[in-house]
C-alpha cells in the first residue's frame, strides 16, 4: 500500500473535526511536551480516539484491526525486536512474502516505519489500532517473552530446579510474578495453568469468562508448577495427588491473597489460582447491586435477633461477599460474631474466624457444635453441605442465635425443599428459617463503549411480558477498556424470600415449589429474571447477560 504523506492535523481540519485554532494550540503544546499530536487532541477532549481511527481509516484507507480477535503467530512477533516494539508501540501481526503487516497507534509515524523497514528488511504495511489495545497486546507478547527466552536458554536440569524455584530473583520467579501482575491489572478472578500435550496454556477468568492469555512451551510446565508450589508451601515432590495452598503478595501497593489448587491430569499437573483482592474484600450493601427494596428486605432479615438466613446460588456467584456485607454491618463491640469457613477468604477485624480442616476432622458440624459453647450472638457457617450441619444450624437458630450460611440451589424457593430433603423436619424449617437471598452475577455493559439500540422482536416480547419499558436498551460495542467484549465488571441480581405466616404454613404442609411460586407471584415477589430486567432498563447490563445466567431457572 502506497502511503500518502499527509499530516494528521491537516486531515482533521479538512474533515471538520477540529478548527485551525485548535490545531495551532495543539502544535504549540506538542513543541513543549514532545507528545504526538493525536494524543494531545485526545487528552484535551477535542476528539476521541475512535474518531481519530475512523478518520485515518476512511480518509487514508488505512485498515483498522481488532487485535483481541486477531490470532498472532509468535514467530512473526519476534521479527521486530522488543526494544523497537516498545519504543514505537508497534506489533507485527502478519507476514506475506516480503511484506510485514504492523499494527500501530500512529500509522503516520513515517520515521518509525522507515526504521522498522531498515531493521527487518521487510516492506512495512501499517494498520491502525487503539493505543490501549496495542499496549496490552505488546505486554502480552513481549512482556514476559524476554524472561521466557532467558529460562529456555538456561533451562535447569532436574537437580537444579530446587535452586531456581527458591530464588526470588530467578527468571521463573520473575515470569510467575509478571503473570500474576498482568492478571490483577486485568481484574482476573482466576488464573488457569492448563497443561496440554505440546504446550502450557495460561488462561485468565475475567468477569466470569475464561480466555487464553499466553501459550508457553511445554518445557516450562514443570518449573512453573514447582515455583507455584514453593510459593504456596506445597509438596513439590507430590505430583499424583491434588493439593491446596495459598500465599500473599503485594501488587501495585495492593495486598493480594492467592488460593492455589493443583490437580493431576494426563498431561501433567493443572494449577488454578484464585485471586482475592484484600483491598476490596468487604463491600457495603449499597455496592452489591441490591435495589432499594431488596436492600431493605435483606437488612430486615439480618437485623432480627435470631433465625436462619441463607444465601444461595452457584459457585462464584458472590454469596460470600453478600454474607460479609451483613457481618460488616453487624460488627459492633457488643456483638460476638464467629464464622466457620472453608477456606477463610478474607480476614475480618473484630470477628472470630475458624478454618475448616477435614484432616483433623474439624468439619462445619463439629466446629458449629463448639461455637455454640462460645456465647455467640451471630454465627456464619460457610456452607450447609449435609444433614448434620443443617441440623446444627437450625438448632442454633432456634436457640436464640442469628445464623447466616450458604446453600447451593437454583433459586430462593428451592432452598426450603433442599433443607427438607436434607432431613430437616418441615416444622423446624418453618420455625427457624427467616429468609433466603438467591443471586447471580451478570456482566456490566462497558460505560466507555455503551450505545443505545432498538430491541429485537424476541426482546420486545420478553420485556412486554414483564412490563419493562424498553425505551433505553444499551449494549457495548467493544473497546480496549473491556478487551472488546462490550462488558466491564459485574453486578449481582437478586431475589429475596422473606418467610411470612402463610409461607411458614405452606412449609409445614409440605406444599410443592409450584404453590410457593404461585403465592409469591400474587404478592409482588421479584424473581432473579425480573431483577435482571430492572438492571437492563437502568442500562447496567444486557438482556443477553440476564438470560445467560437465569435461563436454566
Amino acid at each position: 500500500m502506497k502511503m500518502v504523506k499527509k499530516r494528521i492535523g491537516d486531515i482533521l481540519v479538512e474533515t471538520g473535526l477540529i478548527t485551525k485554532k485548535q490545531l495551532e494550540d495543539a502544535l504549540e503544546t506538542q513543541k513543549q511536551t514532545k507528545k504526538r499530536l493525536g494524543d494531545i487532541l485526545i487528552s484535551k477532549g477535542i476528539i476521541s480516539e475512535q474518531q481519530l481511527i475512523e478518520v485515518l481509516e476512511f480518509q487514508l484507507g488505512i485498515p483498522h484491526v481488532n487485535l483481541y480477535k486477531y490470532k498472532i503467530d509468535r514467530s512473526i512477533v519476534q521479527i521486530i525486536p522488543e526494544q523497537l516494539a516498545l519504543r514505537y508501540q508497534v506489533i507485527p501481526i502478519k507476514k506475506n512474502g516480503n511484506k510485514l503487516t504492523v499494527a500501530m497507534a500512529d500509522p503516520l509515524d513515517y520515521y518509525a516505519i522507515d526504521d522498522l523497514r531498515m531493521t527487518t528488511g521487510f516492506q512495512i504495511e501499517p494498520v491502525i489500532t487503539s493505543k490501549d489495545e496495542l499496549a496490552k497486546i505488546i505486554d502480552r507478547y513481549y512482556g514476559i517473552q524476554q524472561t521466557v527466552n532467558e529460562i529456555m536458554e538456561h533451562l535447569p536440569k532436574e537437580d537444579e530446579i530446587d535452586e531456581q524455584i527458591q530464588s526470588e530473583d530467578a527468571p521463573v520467579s520473575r515470569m510467575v510474578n509478571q503473570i500474576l501482575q498482568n492478571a490483577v491489572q486485568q481484574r482476573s478472578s482466576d488464573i488457569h495453568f492448563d497443561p496440554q500435550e505440546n504446550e502450557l496454556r495460561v488462561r485468565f477468568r475475567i468477569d466470569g469468562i475464561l480466555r487464553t492469555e499466553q501459550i508457553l512451551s511445554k518445557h516450562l510446565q514443570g518449573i512453573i508448577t514447582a515455583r507455584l508450589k514453593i510459593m504456596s508451601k506445597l509438596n513439590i515432590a507430590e505430583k499424583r495427588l491434588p493439593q491446596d495452598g495459598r500465599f500473599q503478595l503485594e501488587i501495585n501497593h495492593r495486598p493480594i491473597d492467592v488460593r492455589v489448587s493443583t490437580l493431576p491430569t494426563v498431561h501433567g499437573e493443572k494449577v488454578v489460582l484464585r485471586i482475592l483482592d484484600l483491598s476490596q474484600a468487604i463491600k457495603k450493601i449499597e455496592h452489591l447491586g441490591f435495589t432499594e427494596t431488596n436492600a431493605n428486605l435483606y437488612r430486615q432479615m439480618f437485623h432480627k435477633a435470631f433465625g436462619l438466613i441463607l444465601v444461595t446460588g452457584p459457585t462464584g456467584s458472590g454469596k460470600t461477599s453478600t454474607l460479609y456485607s451483613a457481618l460488616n454491618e453487624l460488627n459492633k463491640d457488643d456483638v460476638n460474631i464467629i464464622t466457620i469457613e472453608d477456606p477463610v477468604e478474607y480476614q475480618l477485624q473484630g470477628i472470630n474466624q475458624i478454618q475448616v480442616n477435614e484432616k483433623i476432622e474439624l468439619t462445619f458440624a463439629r466446629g458449629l457444635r463448639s461455637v455454640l459453647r462460645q456465647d455467640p450472638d451471630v454465627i456464619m457457617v460457610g456452607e450447609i453441605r449435609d444433614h448434620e450441619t443443617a441440623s446444627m444450624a437450625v438448632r442454633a437458630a432456634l436457640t436464640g442465635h442469628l445464623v447466616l450460611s450458604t446453600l447451593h440451589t437454583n433459586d430462593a424457593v428451592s432452598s426450603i425443599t433442599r433443607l427438607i430433603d436434607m432431613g430437616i423436619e418441615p416444622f423446624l424449617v418453618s420455625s427457624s428459617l427467616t429468609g433466603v437471598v438467591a443471586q447471580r452475577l451478570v456482566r456490566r455493559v462497558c460505560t466507555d463503549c455503551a450505545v443505545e439500540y432498538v430491541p429485537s422482536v424476541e426482546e420486545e416480547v420478553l420485556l412486554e411480558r414483564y412490563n419493562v419499558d424498553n425505551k433505553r436498551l444499551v449494549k457495548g460495542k467493544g473497546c480496549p477498556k473491556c478487551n472488546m467484549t462490550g462488558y466491564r465488571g459485574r453486578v449481582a441480581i437478586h431475589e429475596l424470600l422473606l418467610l411470612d405466616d402463610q409461607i411458614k404454613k405452606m412449609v409445614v404442609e409440605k406444599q410443592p415449589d409450584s404453590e410457593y411460586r404461585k403465592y409469591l407471584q400474587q404478592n409482588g415477589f421479584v424473581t432473579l429474571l425480573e431483577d435482571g430486567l430492572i438492571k437492563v432498563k437502568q442500562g447496567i447490563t444486557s438482556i443477553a447477560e440476564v438470560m445467560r445466567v437465569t435461563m436454566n431457572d
Side-chain angles (χ1 to χ4, degrees):
M1 180 179 67
K2 187 176 179 182
M3 292 294 298
V4 180
K5 293 200 173 186
K6 273 190 169 185
R7 293 187 304 178
I8 184 65
D10 296 334
I11 297 170
L12 291 171
V13 171
E14 285 173 16
T15 55
L17 280 175
I18 65 172
T19 64
K20 286 187 178 180
K21 178 69 169 62
Q22 288 172 326
L23 174 60
E24 289 167 5
D25 292 343
L27 289 170
E28 189 62 36
T29 304
Q30 188 182 34
K31 288 179 185 176
Q32 299 167 5
T33 63
K34 305 297 181 187
K35 289 183 178 179
R36 290 174 177 166
L37 183 65
D39 292 342
I40 293 169
L41 293 168
I42 291 168
S43 65
K44 288 187 173 186
I46 297 171
I47 61 171
S48 67
E49 187 175 26
Q50 187 60 35
Q51 286 176 316
L52 180 62
I53 289 172
E54 287 173 359
V55 164
L56 294 173
E57 185 175 10
F58 296 120
Q59 296 296 319
L60 298 182
I62 300 173
H64 170 227
V65 296
N66 177 356
L67 291 179
Y68 288 114
K69 297 178 180 177
Y70 208 99
K71 192 170 182 180
I72 303 174
D73 188 336
R74 286 186 177 275
S75 63
I76 293 175
V77 172
Q78 299 309 307
I79 293 173
I80 294 180
E82 181 180 5
Q83 187 179 1
L84 278 183
L86 293 174
R87 183 194 304 170
Y88 296 125
Q89 285 296 286
V90 300
I91 191 166
I93 61 173
K94 188 171 69 172
K95 184 179 73 168
N96 185 13
N98 71 330
K99 294 180 181 178
L100 185 67
T101 303
V102 178
M104 310 174 70
D106 182 5
L108 299 184
D109 188 343
Y110 304 114
Y111 179 81
I113 292 171
D114 287 341
D115 197 357
L116 293 172
R117 178 178 52 79
M118 289 186 290
T119 302
T120 64
F122 285 90
Q123 181 183 336
I124 305 299
E125 293 211 336
V127 294
I128 189 169
T129 190
S130 73
K131 190 177 178 182
D132 288 343
E133 184 179 354
L134 187 58
K136 288 180 182 177
I137 296 296
I138 289 173
D139 187 58
R140 179 186 300 177
Y141 284 91
Y142 285 104
I144 69 169
Q145 193 57 46
Q146 187 175 354
T147 311
V148 169
N149 294 341
E150 192 177 340
I151 297 171
M152 294 300 292
E153 284 175 15
H154 307 285
L155 199 65
K157 298 174 183 176
E158 285 291 331
D159 56 350
E160 298 173 335
I161 285 182
D162 273 357
E163 184 182 342
Q164 288 274 0
I165 60 178
Q166 295 283 358
S167 172
E168 292 292 331
D169 298 323
V172 67
S173 300
R174 294 202 306 271
M175 181 174 65
V176 168
N177 290 340
Q178 284 172 318
I179 292 172
L180 283 164
Q181 185 166 13
N182 193 13
V184 171
Q185 287 173 344
Q186 296 192 49
R187 303 172 295 102
S188 304
S189 60
D190 302 85
I191 307 173
H192 291 236
F193 292 87
D194 283 333
Q196 306 295 311
E197 186 177 0
N198 300 310
E199 64 191 21
L200 177 66
R201 189 167 295 171
V202 182
R203 298 194 290 171
F204 291 173
R205 187 178 294 279
I206 302 172
D207 295 335
I209 306 297
L210 263 178
R211 68 173 178 81
T212 300
E213 180 69 15
Q214 302 273 352
I215 295 178
L216 302 175
S217 167
K218 184 73 173 176
H219 298 296
L220 296 172
Q221 181 178 315
I223 192 169
I224 289 175
T225 302
R227 175 58 189 167
L228 290 169
K229 284 183 173 181
I230 285 291
M231 293 174 75
S232 46
K233 297 180 173 58
L234 299 178
N235 182 358
I236 64 170
E238 180 56 77
K239 301 178 181 179
R240 301 165 302 169
L241 295 172
Q243 296 186 69
D244 295 309
R246 68 193 305 166
F247 62 86
Q248 281 195 3
L249 71 163
E250 193 172 281
I251 295 178
N252 298 332
H253 308 293
R254 288 158 56 191
I256 304 295
D257 192 74
V258 182
R259 295 209 319 253
V260 182
S261 172
T262 71
L263 184 72
T265 73
V266 292
H267 296 305
E269 288 181 279
K270 173 181 170 69
V271 185
V272 175
L273 312 184
R274 166 63 59 89
I275 300 172
L276 303 169
D277 188 344
L278 299 179
S279 64
Q280 303 192 14
I282 311 303
K283 294 184 178 179
K284 293 183 177 179
I285 290 171
E286 290 77 12
H287 300 152
L288 293 178
F290 282 104
T291 61
E292 187 177 349
T293 302
N294 282 344
N296 291 334
L297 271 177
Y298 186 38
R299 284 195 170 95
Q300 192 178 333
M301 288 180 191
F302 68 74
H303 278 296
K304 290 182 179 291
F306 59 89
L308 174 62
I309 299 167
L310 296 175
V311 180
T312 183
T315 302
S317 58
K319 299 187 296 295
T320 303
S321 295
T322 300
L323 287 177
Y324 277 3
S325 70
L327 294 182
N328 190 46
E329 197 161 305
L330 292 168
N331 191 9
K332 305 284 192 304
D333 282 344
D334 58 348
V335 180
N336 180 20
I337 302 175
I338 304 178
T339 75
I340 312 165
E341 305 172 64
D342 183 24
V344 175
E345 292 193 3
Y346 301 111
Q347 295 180 18
L348 308 173
Q349 187 71 28
I351 292 177
N352 306 286
Q353 295 173 272
I354 302 169
Q355 169 74 55
V356 166
N357 190 339
E358 299 281 356
K359 292 178 183 176
I360 59 172
E361 297 183 358
L362 177 54
T363 60
F364 280 118
R366 189 171 182 180
L368 184 51
R369 191 178 294 112
S370 298
V371 163
L372 290 172
R373 304 189 194 105
Q374 292 285 318
D375 186 31
D377 298 299
V378 180
I379 304 168
M380 188 190 96
V381 182
E383 184 182 346
I384 293 178
R385 299 175 179 170
D386 50 44
H387 167 75
E388 189 179 7
T389 308
S391 180
M392 290 294 300
V394 166
R395 196 177 89 186
L398 289 173
T399 53
H401 304 92
L402 182 64
V403 181
L404 297 89
S405 190
T406 69
L407 200 64
H408 285 283
T409 61
N410 288 332
D411 55 31
V413 168
S414 302
S415 301
I416 297 172
T417 310
R418 178 64 57 85
L419 286 175
I420 294 172
D421 288 344
M422 282 182 169
I424 307 300
E425 291 292 339
F427 74 91
L428 291 176
V429 175
S430 171
S431 303
S432 61
L433 188 60
T434 298
V436 183
V437 179
Q439 68 179 62
R440 299 284 192 283
L441 291 178
V442 293
R443 291 181 291 172
R444 290 178 177 270
V445 171
C446 176
T447 54
D448 288 281
C449 61
V451 292
E452 293 190 17
Y453 75 98
V454 178
S456 66
V457 175
E458 293 82 1
E459 289 176 332
E460 280 187 345
V461 170
L462 179 69
L463 294 169
E464 190 175 328
R465 185 191 309 165
Y466 290 99
N467 298 315
V468 177
D469 183 359
N470 62 359
K471 288 181 180 176
R472 186 179 180 273
L473 292 189
V474 298
K475 63 179 179 181
K477 289 196 303 181
C479 68
K481 290 284 178 67
C482 62
N483 291 342
M484 304 308 294
T485 61
Y487 298 98
R488 182 175 170 83
R490 289 190 291 177
V491 66
I493 59 174
H494 306 90
E495 63 180 32
L496 279 81
L497 170 60
L498 187 63
L499 274 72
D500 59 19
D501 291 339
Q502 178 59 30
I503 295 177
K504 289 181 178 181
K505 181 183 175 185
M506 294 167 74
V507 173
V508 174
E509 294 172 351
K510 296 186 180 180
Q511 296 275 5
D513 287 0
S514 57
E515 291 301 313
Y516 294 119
R517 292 192 177 95
K518 187 187 297 183
Y519 169 75
L520 290 167
Q521 189 177 13
Q522 294 168 354
N523 287 271
F525 180 71
V526 178
T527 64
L528 282 166
L529 174 59
E530 290 168 328
D531 190 54
L533 292 178
I534 289 171
K535 291 177 171 66
V536 169
K537 180 182 177 181
Q538 294 169 341
I540 296 172
T541 188
S542 67
I543 290 178
E545 264 300 285
V546 174
M547 296 306 293
R548 180 177 69 85
V549 301
T550 62
M551 63 187 300
N552 293 328
D553 296 345

